[in-house]
Amino acid sequence: MATNRVFELRNWVYVSAALGLAGCTTVGPDYKQPAAPQVVGYTTQALPAQTAATSGMALGGSQHFVAGQAVSAQWWESFGSAKLNALIEQGLQASPSLAAAQATLRQAQQSYAAQAGSSLYPQVDANLGALRQRTNNSGFGQSGGEHIFDLYNAGVKVSYNLDLFGGNRRALEALAAQADYQRYQLEGARQTLAGNIATAAMAQAQYAAQISATEAILGAQQSQVDIAHKRFTLGAIARGDELSLLTQLEQTRASLPPLRNQLQQTNHLLAVLVGEAPGAATIPQFSLSDFTLPADVPLLVPSELVRQRPDIQASEALLRAANAEYGVAISKSYPQINLSATLGSQALSTSSLFGPGSIIWSLVSQLAQPLFNGGLKAGVNSAQASFDAAAANYQQSVLQGLRNVADVLRALDNGAETLQAQAAANNAAEASLKLVQQQYLLGGLSYLQLLTAQQQAQQTRVNLVAAQARRLTDTAALYQAMGGGWRSNEK
């Protein structure tokens, strides 16, 4: 009998909640997605269909901008380096920063689940208690002195907030948006990690090539110093000429430690990015020949870009959360209806606790309407200001995203022309150095002319390597600027 009444009471609460929800409304504005940017391009001047090409030069190929091409989820594979692919996959699996972002996402998801469980469904609590009490009958004008008795009770309580005006549902919307925000933050962290590993690997290759070029120049200069010393011993040149060549040699030697330092720091960075200690990591050594420059690169239109970039999507999620919080603030000005029901048993002994005469029950419906609360209006105004700030931040995120793409596109175009010019300068400098060296050995040119040719050759080789590596890093930056293809990964 008692069990049947528990079921009847529970069903009554569910029916009451359903009837209340059927007639309830959700106050506050429904979220409307911001309009996509109306611009059709990223720069005031139209980009060329393809970048300049440097024939016969490694990483000097032309790149075509392919409008509307989808960005691959594993965009780093387009560089054709198995070592890079393995390193990025290691980082995605072992990076502590990603582990922290994943834990934060789980926290947000569980916060939503906890709020949903406590607000969407009735709360059912069971209680069991025992009381031993002594009373003095004389206090009630009765004879008999003291009376001692035991009281046992057991029951079930069901309570439910009717959420007539949608405050709880708006709060759930805000928590869902916060969970989305953390999901976009996680995707953005993945893309940033992959981009940082790729860029660091390319920088490592650049520094290694510049060190190699500088060491080659250093070897040539050492040979010149040795020859100059012999000529000085024979009285063919003055001591000052030999010392000038020696000065240039040592200046070139002094440029090597900073390059080695940059290379070593890059290796330390790569170790941390893949989740290892710098002193224990085994980092592969990259060269520029390990990479292939992608011939076709994606170019999304601005209206698609805002749906592709995780940072812009994260900013929009905060906008959705602020809109929902505004609705929560408004709902506090409306009546709150709480329903509760209790069904239990109370008796003087445990044997009769669930007997027919021990049943007790109660039904309670409570309505609370704020009449005067000076803080409610301020709370609504605060939520409105928070929404306005989120809207402005979203617009700023879109503008920064458009600027990021514009910068990278210009860098790709200008970087191709820079490599073209650096290759021409390097060819000219090498030819000039060979000619000057021959003439110097024959006594036709002075040591000053040889020094000048060596300096030009050294600088142009270093600049050439930097221009080659820059084309790689700019291409990696473009993939990131286009959102990194994370939506494809999500599917």
Side-chain angles (χ1 to χ4, degrees), residues 33 37 41 49 54 67 81 136 151 165 167 192 246 273 283 286 304 308 332 366 371 377 456 481 485 489:
Q33 190 176 48
T54 304
S81 172
N136 190 337
L151 182 65
F165 296 97
T192 299
L246 183 60
L273 289 175
I283 301 299
F286 292 91
E304 294 177 352
Q308 184 73 20
K332 293 179 181 178
Q366 183 180 28
L371 297 179
K377 181 61 177 176
Q456 290 177 341
N489 189 35

Side-chain angles (χ1 to χ4, degrees), residues 53 59 61 111 117 162 184 287 342 354:
L59 305 175
S111 296
L162 199 56
Y184 297 134
S287 65
T342 303
F354 297 102

Side-chain angles (χ1 to χ4, degrees), residues 81-359:
S81 172
K83 289 191 292 186
L84 177 63
N85 298 341
L87 200 62
I88 290 179
E89 289 301 325
Q90 178 184 349
L92 294 177
Q93 294 296 324
S95 171
S97 62
L98 280 191
Q102 290 167 344
T104 304
L105 172 59
R106 292 196 303 271
Q107 178 188 18
Q109 291 171 335
Q110 292 304 312
S111 296
Y112 172 82
Q115 181 67 21
S118 61
S119 61
L120 291 180
Y121 306 102
Q123 304 301 300
V124 182
D125 299 303
N127 63 80
L128 179 66
L131 171 69
R132 184 174 180 84
Q133 184 171 343
R134 185 180 72 173
T135 62
N136 190 337
N137 292 336
S138 62
F140 298 96
Q142 300 176 356
S143 60
E146 298 179 348
H147 178 64
I148 299 175
F149 64 93
D150 296 324
L151 182 65
Y152 300 93
N153 63 81
V156 175
K157 181 180 179 181
V158 182
S159 59
Y160 183 71
N161 183 293
L162 199 56
D163 195 25
L164 190 61
F165 296 97
N168 291 341
R169 278 164 287 157
R170 289 300 190 198
L172 282 178
E173 287 181 25
L175 288 174
Q178 289 289 346
D180 284 342
Y181 169 76
Q182 295 299 339
R183 180 166 63 90
Y184 297 134
Q185 288 288 88
L186 173 59
E187 297 297 343
R190 285 174 176 163
Q191 292 303 321
T192 299
L193 177 64
N196 287 342
I197 293 175
T199 301
M202 295 164 185
Q204 185 208 73
Q206 172 187 336
Y207 298 139
Q210 288 177 328
I211 289 173
S212 177
T214 303
E215 288 176 342
I217 293 172
L218 189 64
Q221 289 177 340
Q222 182 65 62
S223 298
Q224 295 296 327
V225 168
D226 293 341
I227 294 174
H229 179 70
K230 292 179 181 179
R231 296 184 67 188
F232 167 71
T233 303
L234 296 174
I237 61 173
R239 175 64 173 166
D241 294 350
E242 179 189 4
L243 291 177
S244 296
L245 287 173
L246 183 60
T247 300
Q248 178 63 28
L249 170 69
E250 296 305 327
Q251 287 177 342
T252 301
R253 196 191 309 278
S255 68
L256 280 173
L259 286 174
R260 293 194 183 107
N261 184 58
Q262 289 177 307
L263 176 61
Q264 292 158 357
Q265 289 183 345
T266 301
N267 287 334
H268 301 162
L269 173 61
L270 281 171
V272 173
L273 289 175
V274 299
E276 296 186 15
T282 302
I283 301 299
Q285 300 302 305
F286 292 91
S287 65
L288 292 178
S289 61
D290 290 330
F291 302 99
T292 300
L293 188 70
D296 295 326
V297 291
L299 182 61
L300 300 177
V301 297
S303 59
E304 294 177 352
L305 181 75
V306 297
R307 310 294 177 230
Q308 184 73 20
R309 284 181 59 119
D311 59 335
I312 296 179
Q313 290 289 287
S315 184
E316 186 182 348
L318 293 181
L319 181 61
R320 293 202 310 272
N323 182 81
E325 292 290 354
Y326 179 54
V328 171
I330 294 176
S331 71
K332 293 179 181 178
S333 302
Y334 288 82
Q336 302 293 318
I337 299 178
N338 294 300
L339 304 176
S340 64
T342 303
L343 177 64
S345 178
Q346 192 174 74
L348 296 176
S349 65
T350 56
S351 60
S352 58
L353 184 60
F354 297 102
S358 65
I359 299 300

Side-chain angles (χ1 to χ4, degrees), residues 10-96:
R10 184 189 64 183
N11 292 337
W12 175 83
V13 173
Y14 277 121
V15 170
S16 300
L19 291 175
L21 288 174
C24 68
T25 184
T26 304
V27 298
D30 292 330
Y31 178 73
K32 295 182 179 179
Q33 190 176 48
Q38 298 301 310
V39 295
V40 296
Y42 295 98
T43 57
T44 54
Q45 297 179 346
L47 288 165
Q50 61 187 42
T51 63
T54 304
S55 59
M57 174 60 60
L59 305 175
S62 176
Q63 291 183 296
H64 302 258
F65 298 109
V66 183
Q69 177 178 316
V71 183
S72 171
Q74 287 77 35
W75 53 263
W76 50 87
E77 294 179 355
S78 63
F79 293 100
S81 172
K83 289 191 292 186
L84 177 63
N85 298 341
L87 200 62
I88 290 179
E89 289 301 325
Q90 178 184 349
L92 294 177
Q93 294 296 324
S95 171

